[in-house]
Every structure is written in C-alpha cells, then in structure tokens.
Amino acid sequence: MSVTSADDDSYDVLIIGAGPSGAITAHAVAGAGFKVICLEQGDYALPSDYPANFDMWELVARGHWQAEPNRRRNPADYPLEVSDTDLAPSMYSAVGGSTIHFSALWARLAPSDFRVRTLDGVASDWPISYETLSPFYDKVDDFIGVSGLEGDPAYPEGYAPKMPPLPLGKFGRKAAEAMNALQWHWWPHANAIPSQKIGSLAACARWGTCTQGCPEGAKASFDLAYWPSAIKAGAKLVTGARVSKITTDAGGAATGATWISKGEERHTKAKQVVVCANGIGTPRLLLLSASERHPQGLANSSGLVGKNLMLHPNCAVIGYYDEELESWRGPAGSAASSMQFYETDRSRGFVRGSKMHACPTPGLLFNGVDPHRLLPFEDLWGPSFHQVIRDARNAIFWAANIDDLPEESNRVTLDPTLRDSDGIPAPKISYRYSENTLKIRDFTVARLSEIHRAAGAKKTIEINDLQGEPGHLLGTARMGSDPKTSVVDEYGRAHDVPNLTISDGSIFVTGGAANPTSTIAALALRNAEKLVQTLLEAN
C-alpha cells in the first residue's frame, strides 16, 4: 500500500477522534486562528436514521445502533478481543463519538475523587484539584446549555447550571419521596439536554430515547453541541479516516499521522498532535506507533500505556408500582441522583462508593421483557406476559455507577491475531472486577432495593451485572507529575513527546463514580487553552 500526502502543507494541530474532547479541542484551537484538522474513523450519524423514528424502535436499536462494537459491527468499528474481561466495553465510532449513545447525564467528579491517595490511602492523587477544573466545567456547561439546579450539597458552592432543570416527572417525585423517607441525599440531576433552546440545540421534548440518539435534536451530543461551531471557526473535519500510526522524527517528536481511507494510505503533517480516541482507542494507537525511539509504544517509557483501565461497572434494581408513574417519559437519564454512599466509609468494608440514579423505563423490551428473563419462565411468558408489559409503564430504574479503582492488571494491549477491516491489530481487553468493586456493588444493590421498599414497590428485579453499560473508558494514559508513574502531565502533554497531547478519558487518574463526560470535556478545554498558549508563544 503506497502512502500519499493528504495535503501539500502542514497543519498547526492534527486531532485524532471527533468525540467530545476532539470537538472541544478543534473549536478552541480553530477559534484562536490556527489551522486545524481532525481525523475521524466514523461518519456523521443522521438523525433521520435514529431508532426513535421507527415504530419498532427498540428492535432497530439492537442492530447497527448497539453500544458494543462486536455486536454492532458497523464499517467504522474495530473489533475488540474480550475473552478475558468481565465487562465488554461500549463505544461508538462517529462524529460526536459515544455521545451519540450517551444518556446525557452531566455529572462532575467530586472534590474527593482528585485526592483518593491522600484521603483513603489507595490509588493516586491527581496533579490537579476540583477547584482547578471548576472554571472549565462552568465554561463547557454554559456553552452547551446544561440543565440543572444550583445548590446540590454534595458539591462545593458555585456549581450552578444556567438552564432550569428538566421535570422530575411522576416517577422522579416518587423516587424523591422514598429518599426523603430514608433521609438520604438526592438532587435533581444535571443533564446535557437543554430545557430551553440554545444555539443549535432544541429544547427537550421528553422522547425518552436519548441513548439511541435524540430525534428532536435536543441532546448535546457533540456532533450538534460543538462541531458546527468548530467548523464555522475554521476547523477541518475528515470522516472515514482510520489512523494507523502517529509518526515521529529522529528526535522523537510527533510529525503527524498515517491514516487509511477507502483502502488508500495517507499521511498528514502537523506541528502538534492531539489524541482523542477514548480510553481504548488511544492506548491502541500509542502502542501501534512504536518506533526505534519509542520501542514500547509512543509516550510509553513508563510502561503504563494501556494499563489501569477503569470501566465503571453498573448495577440496577427495577421496581414496579401500582400507581401511574408515566415512566416512559424522558429524558432517559436520571431525573434524580444520590451521592449518599459516594464517599468512603470504612465501616462498610470497602473504600470509595457509588452514585445512584433514578431513571425512567422507556421501552417495553429493555425495561419490561429483558429484566424478566432473569426470572423463571412462567414469570415472563404465558399468562404473565401482558402484566409484565403493563408494569413496564409504571417502574423506576434505580441504577448506580460503581467507583472502579485503577489496577495495572486491567489493561489494553494489542491482540496478536485479531485485525480490523484495514488489517490493523485490534485491542485486547483484560479486565476483572476487584474485590473492592464487588463489595461496593453488593452494598449498592442492597441500598437500591431498600429505596424501592421505602417507595412501596410491589415487585423488584435485581441486576447485579449490567452488561452493555456504561461506555466509560478511563485511565489508560494517566496524568501525573512524575514521568515514571504517569504518561502525560497535568495539561495532557506526553512526558516523552513534547508536541503530543492526550485529551480524553484515558488521562484520568481515578474514575470516581460519576458519569465522566463532563470531566472529559473540562479537561479537554483546559488542555486546549494551554495548547493555544503554546502555539502563540511559538509564533
């Protein structure tokens, strides 16, 4: 395969991956007047193709909209070797990345998440604090129109979404009443879904199909929330471009990237390279980019590229109620959340904790039929079937993210035999639940059941291992001050490669129990502003 130059001249910045961090980086750098190109292996997801536009939307969603690439097998996907993992990762290759699929829960990490070593004696502290990241959280929130309510006591003062919160709905009020009865923390959840029209985003129409793409154009998937502004600012976005290697010069600096489009290999030059390929795609690419100067893989003198993978295993308990709860109304994410058991309490027998979410139950298959498959045959089929379907309309899906502490044995490597459609080695995922993770999960499932009892549920179904969830890919190129124990510095700059920045979930030091996209976005903006400063100083 011959290599051709995709452009006659060099770019100031080449971005790999058009998800949230890639979009934010492109917007910031192009807005500062620099020449930017982004290479994305997927394409635009067309709103007209979203499953919600079809009568049998849940069946459509189980085809090429599946969250797991091995089950979806779209042309843009690469396969994952998952024979050695307790949880098959979810991701989506498209402009906007996995935000096409996310439920738009817009949670911040807690201040304690940045200081786990100091507070709990495990893992490592981040080189930055919540206070450091707070203004960048605010900037992104204001740009995309986050809906929420100021005053959540689980966070420091100053966390104040500008958009009014989305309605709790009948099911949300029912969940809140139970939390009040138990005297446990709860708060209306912030959502990356505007309650009023802002920019290119419509106001939420409560379809409830958020995870299969919003047909209203209200969810802040980053193909809508940031890319139109980035392109208007001058950023170039190339779709269908699968990057196979980051190229370097004799001194070890990045020179650009080699990529494949329609079977033709190309190369694009750049002064700065920013990798935004997610916590699996990024280490894969760094390992693929090994050279004489970087024999273990690019930016991998520490040997930590690919290690410390965190996936946020989820659990849930669904409760079914007699009263009308209108549980089909969206948004599909959490109406209310609780951080009652988020922080460490060693009397529970583990460190860290979980974040609990009260979610609606749109869809008769996912929240009606599928949970009952865990029960005896007669509880789902035959005379029971019609009752199962009726009950699904009046249910509450209490789910939780489990804090998933980093372990080097949980990792991404290159599989020796599996290849993608362009012949590039696929990633192998090695991931096992730790004893601490399982203890958090068991404790949390018991608490979720307790909430349903307090609310008067007539029946509950426990789901200890929520497969296909949640697509949080973290920790495989961690940040830190010491090049021996980290891959990048506090601005995402690779210790080993002066002009390589990583700006996605792979740079997380710990994962917390909060949905990570808000933090990924804030880190990307902070890194991008530092990159702009670097470019200005160089000119």
Side-chain angles (χ1 to χ4, degrees):
M1 186 183 294
S2 62
V3 180
T4 60
S5 176
D7 299 278
D8 294 331
D9 55 348
S10 176
Y11 287 83
D12 294 307
V13 177
L14 183 154
I15 302 166
I16 301 168
S21 55
I24 287 172
T25 303
H27 180 258
V29 177
F34 292 100
K35 190 175 182 183
V36 182
I37 185 171
C38 178
L39 304 176
E40 166 56 47
Q41 66 186 4
D43 205 338
Y44 280 94
L46 299 178
S48 58
D49 290 340
Y50 289 160
N53 293 305
F54 301 89
D55 290 338
M56 304 294 287
W57 68 272
E58 283 194 278
L59 295 180
V60 175
R62 295 176 184 220
H64 66 272
W65 289 98
Q66 293 245 15
E68 296 177 34
N70 285 2
R71 300 173 67 187
R72 185 174 61 236
R73 298 185 179 183
N74 286 353
D77 293 323
Y78 52 81
L80 305 177
E81 213 303 312
V82 294
S83 62
D84 189 31
T85 179
D86 288 334
L87 181 62
S90 299
M91 64 179 80
Y92 200 78
S93 297
V95 177
S98 292
T99 62
I100 299 296
H101 255 299
F102 85 152
S103 60
L105 295 183
W106 202 250
R108 298 183 178 187
L109 289 178
S112 63
D113 288 319
F114 297 87
R115 304 175 60 238
V116 171
R117 166 60 64 174
T118 297
L119 295 175
D120 301 321
V122 297
S124 300
D125 287 346
W126 291 52
I128 61 175
S129 66
Y130 176 93
E131 290 73 24
T132 302
L133 208 54
S134 181
F136 300 94
Y137 278 129
D138 292 342
K139 288 180 184 179
V140 176
D141 288 4
D142 293 348
F143 189 91
I144 66 177
V146 171
S147 299
L149 184 65
E150 182 180 3
D152 187 344
Y155 288 95
E157 291 185 10
Y159 183 10
K162 299 298 188 296
M163 287 278 183
L166 296 170
L168 284 177
K170 292 184 178 180
F171 84 90
R173 292 196 296 272
K174 183 73 172 176
E177 288 169 3
M179 299 301 279
N180 287 342
L182 293 166
Q183 296 185 341
W184 290 353
H185 165 271
W186 71 272
W187 201 254
H189 205 290
N191 291 272
I193 302 173
S195 52
Q196 302 170 359
K197 177 175 171 51
I198 180 173
S200 60
L201 298 178
C204 179
R206 305 189 69 189
W207 282 67
T209 58
C210 312
T211 54
Q212 286 79 35
C214 176
E216 192 74 18
K219 185 180 77 169
S221 56
F222 277 65
D223 57 328
L224 300 178
Y226 257 94
W227 268 114
S229 296
I231 292 170
K232 186 176 181 180
K236 180 178 181 179
L237 174 58
V238 180
T239 59
R242 174 169 281 148
V243 176
S244 59
K245 185 174 185 177
I246 299 168
T247 55
T248 53
D249 60 21
T255 58
T258 300
W259 51 285
I260 300 170
S261 178
K262 298 179 180 178
E264 182 179 358
E265 192 170 79
R266 303 165 181 263
H267 183 266
T268 296
K269 298 179 291 184
K271 298 174 185 176
Q272 298 277 342
V273 174
V274 183
V275 187
C276 304
N278 81 40
I280 290 176
T282 288
R284 177 201 187 199
L285 182 55
L286 295 177
L287 294 172
L288 287 169
S289 302
S291 64
E292 184 175 348
R293 184 67 181 262
H294 304 283
Q296 298 185 84
L298 194 61
N300 196 26
S301 65
S302 66
L304 291 174
V305 167
K307 296 181 179 179
N308 298 299
L309 175 66
M310 296 172 283
L311 294 179
H312 269 178
N314 279 3
C315 60
V317 178
I318 306 179
Y320 300 89
Y321 294 80
D322 283 324
E323 57 262 65
E324 174 60 55
L325 296 180
E326 297 183 346
S327 300
W328 44 269
R329 289 188 183 274
S334 175
S337 66
S338 173
M339 296 174 73
Q340 180 71 29
F341 306 107
Y342 193 94
E343 306 291 352
T344 293
D345 180 345
R346 290 188 178 274
S347 68
R348 301 172 191 147
F350 52 81
V351 294
R352 307 310 297 157
S354 61
K355 183 171 185 178
M356 305 185 296
H357 305 281
C359 307
T361 57
L364 299 178
L365 292 180
F366 180 73
N367 291 304
V369 173
D370 286 351
H372 285 78
R373 297 183 194 275
L374 302 172
L375 304 179
F377 181 89
E378 59 272 13
D379 288 346
L380 171 58
W381 304 113
S384 299
F385 182 75
H386 291 288
Q387 188 61 48
V388 166
I389 297 303
R390 285 192 293 269
D391 286 348
R393 294 174 53 85
N394 301 313
I396 303 175
F397 189 90
W398 269 104
N401 291 336
I402 304 301
D403 197 337
D404 187 22
L405 291 169
E407 297 187 35
E408 290 191 18
S409 58
N410 289 336
R411 63 195 185 277
V412 177
T413 56
L414 298 179
D415 190 78
T417 57
L418 187 63
R419 299 287 189 274
D420 65 21
S421 58
D422 289 304
I424 304 170
K428 175 180 174 59
I429 313 303
S430 301
Y431 174 86
R432 297 299 181 193
Y433 298 142
S434 69
E435 181 181 357
N436 193 74
T437 295
L438 293 175
K439 286 181 177 179
I440 299 175
R441 187 185 72 182
D442 292 346
F443 175 88
T444 301
V445 168
R447 301 291 77 71
L448 299 178
S449 295
E450 192 174 349
I451 297 169
H452 281 301
R453 287 195 297 271
K458 66 178 181 180
K459 178 177 67 176
T460 59
I461 298 177
E462 295 183 357
I463 306 174
N464 290 320
D465 195 3
L466 201 57
Q467 293 289 319
E469 294 278 350
H472 302 166
L473 314 173
L474 311 171
T476 50
R478 55 162 38 180
M479 66 163 67
S481 302
D482 185 352
K484 294 180 181 179
T485 58
S486 60
V487 178
V488 300
D489 70 7
E490 65 173 278
Y491 293 103
R493 300 174 299 193
H495 294 304
D496 301 348
V497 186
N499 61 337
L500 175 70
T501 298
I502 301 175
S503 282
D504 56 32
S506 63
I507 68 175
F508 278 42
V509 181
T510 52
N515 306 70
T517 310
S518 173
T519 302
I520 291 171
L523 287 169
L525 181 57
R526 184 171 185 267
N527 293 351
E529 290 189 1
K530 187 66 174 181
L531 180 58
V532 167
Q533 179 185 339
T534 300
L535 291 167
L536 290 171
E537 291 172 351
N539 290 344

